[in-house]
Amino acid sequence: MTQVNGGQAAAPPILVDDEPDLLRDQFRQLLRYPRLIAGGVLLGLLGGAWLGYSTSDTYVATSDVVLRVPMEDPFNPSVAIEKTLDMNTERQAATSRRTAERAAAELDFPGDPADLVAGLQVTNPPKSQVLRFSYTTADPGLSARRANAMVSAYLADRREQTAQTRDTMIKGLQAQLAPIARQHDELAEELDGRTGPEAEGDYAVKANLLGRITELSNRISKLKALDISPGKVIRTATPPTSSDGPGWALSLGLGGAVGIALGLLMAWVRLVFDPAARSEGDVARALRAPVLGSLPRTRDTDPLLTEDREDSPLAEEYRSIAYRLAYDQRFAGRRRLLVAAPRGSSRTAAAVAVNLAASFAETGKRVLIVEAELRQPSLEGQLRAREVGRTAWPGDGEGEDWPGGRRLVVDAGESGGFDLVPGARVRNVARALTSPEMSRLVEEADDPNVTVIVLTPPVFAYADALALVDRVDGVLVVCDPRGVHRSQLARLRDLITGAGGTVLGTVMHRGQHSGRTGRGGRKKAGNAAGARSPRVTPGTPGAPGEPGAPGAHAARGVQGAHAAQGRPRGPVPRPAPGAGGGAGGGRAAGPGARTGGGRSGGPDDRPGAGRAGDDWPGTGPAGDDWPGAAQAHAADTGAHEDPSTTMALRAIDPPAERP
């Protein structure tokens, strides 16, 4: 599994986030909030409907006025009108109460004059001296009358103000002219008939007074001749023939477009402030490791080891994860793997570890699972396992039996079998995890044909996993992306790398739903594969592997799988040739029986047979349709299972419900 075209596979490439891929991933994540998007569309449609309803019976009449400034010479090009006319001030004057009162008097408006300005809108087109009066009501004729009345009132008020200003200036000039003219007349009477040098000064004063009188008289004449017209109406308001609204179709279309934009905006805001990892891209970016597989949602009553592995899509998913790990250069060297969940329950992580072990065992590897869950161990009670012996290590611990106390063999059915070091409650968890016995278990993976999988509690619950990450080749994170935050995944990566470990990848799952049914909320008993097997001591009557053992069927196929891999199994008792019952399930054995089929061995044992009738590429007699088929048929028809064994297996109680 670690060779490709004669060479070892390289490590997976470094993840590079392409901007278009990120945009597509974010857009797909926006679609995870259909309620927000639908709510935005609904609000937009409601707004469009309100716009269509509110503007369906409104009519706007418009009148345009060109303003002018009173000038002595309107044709003088040196005078800039736009510099002497402030259009913003004129707009404020057009909507003032003074103008409204004058228009109300003209229209005989019965209410408050300020209400007359409510429907008026005065605008100034850019770069012009034009004021546009627009009046809106539900009656087209009324809109035209009020628009024209407001224009007339504004122009009349502006004319009146200009006339008042002119008259005030004329009165002031006349007030200045009267004393100067009187002084001039008096001085003229005194100088009548006088000559000589003494009268020259008075004549000079008289000339100055006359010049002043001429200047003031000219100014008064210009003011009296000034054109004070305030402006000219270039468009008179007429009753509109159609309503001013955009119409129902356009209103609903605009509302729908705005609603979609609003819904996407709300979904984007929700996505930005959502701390959960909602996609594979979020998980991969947070852990900086690829997503190796995605598991469907399962029931909490399903057995850990997937049944019917030959035809199970779930088993194929586990196989694909195993193959991807096997071709990872970081793992392929020594094949030491730690499986853990970030938080919550470890049941899915345990299922991943067990099924990966079965997938590796199918390829002919010897697999060892070390359950480093020393607080709530549960694997032994959920697997078909039997005890094969105790490890004879020197007792350099301090009274702790784990992990060198017991070793079990788990029957994986058609896949073969794998070893299990079950967890046990100990007094000092940290000392047990860092003990020399634990190091020896992990070092078994130095053999290229051995794979060691360590199962630990959730990383955020206990620090047990961090005590072991430096002893394995990589960590496989099993998480439900909806139940963990992106910041927590980043912190998990920092904890693992800080402890000297490497995150090989992630297995995502959709959680588990309760399998409760019936009254009282009891769980289903499940299959016998998840039932607790009774513990028996090897070498005693009735123990697995002994002649006539009633529970020997639970270990069917395991001994043959180990024999096919050519590895010693410690103190496993083997029945004598021709014994009446064997480890394969109580069937009669004799010459020609095969260990690969789970039956008791004989002089004609051959390795490589994983199950009955599956002796390929064995050598069957000439004329057989498939290699080994005739021998499997002869072996199967020559023995029968003990009915007591089947009944005993069906009567096994399911594991106790854990909190």
Side-chain angles (χ1 to χ4, degrees):
M1 294 175 60
T2 62
Q3 300 293 326
V4 178
N5 296 330
Q8 188 150 351
I14 299 176
L15 295 175
V16 178
D17 294 333
D18 191 13
E19 184 175 356
D21 293 337
L22 289 176
L23 293 177
R24 284 191 293 268
D25 184 61
Q26 289 183 358
F27 184 77
R28 285 193 296 266
Q29 293 185 51
L30 290 179
L31 300 181
R32 294 178 179 268
Y33 305 100
R35 295 183 179 179
L36 290 179
I37 298 177
V41 173
L42 180 60
L43 289 177
L45 291 177
L46 290 177
W50 176 83
L51 177 64
Y53 174 77
S54 61
T55 59
S56 61
D57 55 351
T58 57
Y59 298 88
V60 179
T62 304
S63 179
D64 293 339
V65 178
V66 177
L67 302 183
R68 64 179 303 274
V69 179
M71 299 177 61
E72 296 178 0
D73 185 4
F75 302 102
N76 187 1
S78 62
V79 180
I81 300 178
E82 61 272 9
K83 294 183 178 179
T84 59
L85 191 63
D86 188 359
M87 300 303 298
N88 290 327
T89 303
E90 298 300 330
R91 288 179 57 250
Q92 297 295 327
T95 57
S96 63
R97 184 179 180 88
R98 178 185 178 91
T99 305
E101 290 176 351
R102 187 182 291 271
E106 181 180 350
L107 294 171
D108 295 333
F109 187 74
D112 188 0
D115 297 338
L116 192 61
V117 188
L120 178 65
Q121 184 180 9
V122 180
T123 59
N124 170 229
K127 298 181 180 181
S128 67
Q129 285 77 45
V130 176
L131 285 183
R132 179 165 296 166
F133 290 74
S134 301
Y135 206 95
T136 305
T137 63
D139 185 1
L142 183 61
S143 298
R145 288 194 302 272
R146 289 186 177 182
N148 292 327
M150 293 298 296
V151 169
S152 177
Y154 166 70
L155 293 178
D157 182 71
R158 196 165 184 270
R159 176 188 290 273
E160 181 180 340
Q161 290 181 3
T162 304
Q164 290 179 357
T165 303
R166 183 195 62 179
D167 295 343
T168 302
M169 292 181 64
I170 291 176
K171 288 180 181 179
L173 292 175
Q174 289 176 348
Q176 296 179 23
L177 179 61
I180 295 176
R182 186 170 53 254
Q183 183 180 359
H184 177 269
D185 293 340
E186 293 176 354
L187 185 59
E189 291 177 357
E190 292 178 0
L191 293 177
D192 188 16
R194 291 178 56 185
T195 58
E198 62 276 3
E200 292 181 357
D202 293 336
Y203 278 107
V205 173
K206 179 183 177 182
N208 292 334
L209 292 176
L210 182 59
R212 180 64 177 167
I213 292 173
T214 302
E215 179 184 358
L216 292 175
S217 298
N218 291 335
R219 294 183 61 182
I220 292 174
S221 299
K222 290 181 179 180
L223 288 175
K224 290 181 177 180
L226 187 66
D227 184 8
I228 59 174
S229 175
K232 180 175 61 175
V233 179
I234 60 177
R235 184 171 68 170
T236 304
T238 57
T241 58
S242 61
S243 63
D244 184 61
W248 283 99
L250 184 58
S251 298
L252 292 178
L254 292 175
V258 174
I260 292 176
L262 179 62
L264 292 177
L265 177 62
M266 293 190 298
W268 180 79
V269 172
R270 177 69 176 87
L271 177 64
V272 169
F273 291 98
D274 187 5
R278 292 289 181 177
S279 66
E280 294 185 2
D282 287 345
V283 176
R285 284 188 290 269
L287 291 175
R288 296 180 185 175
V291 176
L292 301 181
S294 180
L295 305 179
R297 192 175 186 184
T298 59
R299 293 189 299 270
D300 55 4
T301 55
D302 292 341
L304 291 183
L305 186 60
T306 304
E307 297 180 336
D308 299 330
R309 295 184 60 83
E310 292 297 328
D311 301 322
S312 173
L314 183 58
E316 291 299 327
E317 184 70 20
Y318 284 121
R319 288 190 184 98
S320 65
I321 298 172
Y323 287 135
R324 294 190 64 178
L325 284 173
Y327 282 90
D328 191 338
Q329 188 177 9
R330 298 170 294 178
F331 172 74
R334 295 185 300 174
R335 307 175 69 86
R336 303 173 182 178
L337 181 66
L338 187 143
V339 181
R343 58 187 302 175
S345 173
S346 296
R347 177 175 173 82
T348 306
V352 171
V354 169
N355 286 277
L356 285 182
S359 299
F360 284 127
E362 286 179 344
T363 63
K365 299 294 182 181
R366 177 187 168 202
V367 185
L368 171 63
I369 294 183
V370 180
E371 185 184 12
E373 170 61 89
L374 306 183
R375 306 175 191 275
Q376 293 181 353
S378 60
L379 278 186
E380 182 181 359
Q382 301 184 62
L383 299 173
R384 292 199 301 263
R386 65 185 181 91
E387 186 171 349
V388 296
R390 296 176 177 268
T391 307
W393 287 331
D396 46 4
E398 296 184 4
E400 299 287 2
D401 293 335
W402 193 90
R406 301 170 58 241
R407 179 175 292 202
L408 308 179
V409 174
V410 178
D411 179 14
E414 301 290 340
S415 300
F418 53 87
D419 295 351
L420 169 66
V421 175
R425 297 181 182 271
V426 297
R427 294 189 301 273
N428 193 324
V429 176
R431 184 173 301 170
L433 294 176
T434 57
S435 62
E437 291 84 353
M438 184 65 189
S439 300
R440 293 189 186 98
L441 283 178
V442 177
E443 289 173 357
E444 289 190 21
D446 292 340
D447 186 344
N449 291 322
V450 177
T451 300
V452 175
I453 300 177
V454 181
L455 177 64
T456 63
V459 179
F460 290 143
Y462 305 100
D464 300 353
L466 301 180
L468 298 172
V469 294
D470 60 336
R471 304 187 184 188
V472 297
D473 298 318
V475 179
L476 183 64
V477 179
V478 181
C479 69
D480 181 1
R482 298 171 300 176
V484 64
H485 296 173
R486 292 189 296 268
S487 59
Q488 293 174 340
L489 291 176
R491 179 169 173 262
L492 175 65
R493 183 197 68 236
D494 294 339
L495 289 175
I496 293 175
T497 55
T502 303
V503 180
L504 294 180
T506 311
V507 175
M508 296 173 50
H509 64 91
R510 299 177 56 189
Q512 294 180 339
H513 57 82
S514 176
R516 301 177 184 273
T517 180
R519 296 182 179 179
R522 290 187 176 183
K523 291 187 176 182
K524 297 180 180 180
N527 194 281
R532 180 181 297 273
S533 302
R535 183 179 300 174
V536 288
T537 305
T540 60
E546 292 298 322
H553 180 69
R556 178 181 180 182
V558 178
Q559 182 178 348
H562 294 320
Q565 298 167 15
R567 57 183 184 273
R569 292 306 315 132
V572 182
R574 297 182 179 273
R587 298 181 181 179
R594 292 178 297 279
T595 59
R599 305 176 182 88
S600 60
D604 201 15
D605 288 349
R606 288 187 297 274
R611 50 189 178 270
D614 199 13
D615 293 340
W616 189 92
T619 56
D624 286 351
D625 294 336
W626 189 256
Q631 296 180 6
H633 178 71
D636 290 338
T637 56
H640 300 280
E641 292 184 354
D642 188 355
S644 61
T645 302
T646 306
M647 297 301 294
L649 286 175
R650 294 179 178 175
I652 295 176
D653 294 332
E657 183 175 352
R658 299 189 305 279

